[in-house]
Amino acid sequence: MEKVGINVSDINPDVSVVGTETPPAFEQFFRAEYSSIVAIASAVCGSFGGGEDVAQEAMVRASRNWQSVAALDRPGAWVRRVAINLALNRVRDVRRHHQVIELAHRAQQDTPTDHPEDDKLWRALAAVSPEQRTLLALVELDGYQPREVAEVLQCRPGAIRVRLHRARVALRAACEQIEENS
């Protein structure tokens, strides 16, 4: 089995990246980017556990291709694009197997929080499309500007602004619907 330099069973930004061939630059990159990648992937997947799985896989891929990735102007954008693609694939797979509703219901029951507003937000995020969750995560969670999001998603900034507006409208409508039903 090929050693990739990351112990994917125990990835945590507070834990050392294992493996003697892991370059210090990758370890520094990992520590700086991992939490943000988890947040974005979690928002797209609709669950923290799914987001962690996706972020770990994206980082493994970055580690395997570190020389090429490190040479890019924005390696973080490359890893985000990989994570977003993996997360969208994950969502499509779940939808394809007609398990989205069951998983969302189970996630709500299994992960109660002390903050009911957080539960409402997660339910509202689950109500918008994965693409809209992606935009919202990049802008609201990661602080990206539309120009930067366009770079990550490989499209025009104007298109991102329109999509982001639509995502915010959809999220607002989902929040209002949840409030009405509460």
Side-chain angles (χ1 to χ4, degrees):
M1 176 176 240
E2 176 186 15
K3 191 170 185 181
V4 296
I6 298 178
N7 181 354
V8 295
S9 65
D10 191 23
I11 290 182
N12 181 320
D14 298 324
V15 175
S16 294
V17 178
V18 298
T20 55
E21 69 275 359
T22 301
F26 177 78
E27 188 168 340
Q28 182 180 11
F29 171 80
F30 177 90
R31 290 176 186 277
E33 300 289 341
Y34 182 73
S35 296
S36 175
I37 302 298
V38 170
I40 290 167
S42 296
V44 176
C45 288
S47 73
F48 183 74
E52 281 187 314
D53 290 345
V54 165
Q56 290 170 9
E57 178 61 26
M59 285 296 190
V60 166
R61 291 181 185 190
S63 173
R64 287 183 179 151
N65 300 300
W66 183 242
Q67 284 185 332
S68 300
V69 173
L72 298 171
D73 288 338
R74 298 190 53 185
W78 183 90
V79 174
R80 281 171 179 75
R81 178 74 258 170
V82 170
I84 289 165
N85 287 343
L86 290 168
L88 290 172
N89 287 342
R90 183 184 181 105
V91 169
R92 285 184 200 109
D93 288 345
V94 170
R95 185 179 301 139
R96 214 173 286 128
H97 292 100
H98 305 286
Q99 296 175 350
V100 172
I101 295 172
E102 180 182 318
L103 290 174
H105 180 69
R106 195 178 315 139
Q108 289 173 5
Q109 291 177 341
D110 291 346
T111 57
T113 67
D114 294 334
H115 308 288
E117 292 302 314
D118 289 347
D119 288 337
K120 289 177 184 176
L121 178 60
W122 278 107
R123 289 193 327 235
L125 281 169
V128 302
S129 74
E131 291 79 11
Q132 290 173 329
R133 285 194 300 268
T134 299
L135 289 173
L136 292 166
L138 285 168
V139 173
E140 304 301 337
L141 292 176
D142 215 21
Y144 270 43
Q145 297 298 314
R147 174 186 49 77
E148 297 167 313
V149 174
E151 213 175 285
V152 170
L153 299 181
Q154 300 171 344
C155 62
R156 293 189 346 246
I160 293 300
R161 284 189 287 277
V162 169
R163 292 178 192 169
L164 183 59
H165 172 75
R166 290 178 183 157
R168 286 176 172 149
V169 168
L171 183 63
R172 190 175 304 117
C175 286
E176 289 170 359
Q177 183 68 35
I178 290 168
E179 279 297 316
E180 288 174 12
N181 294 335
S182 295

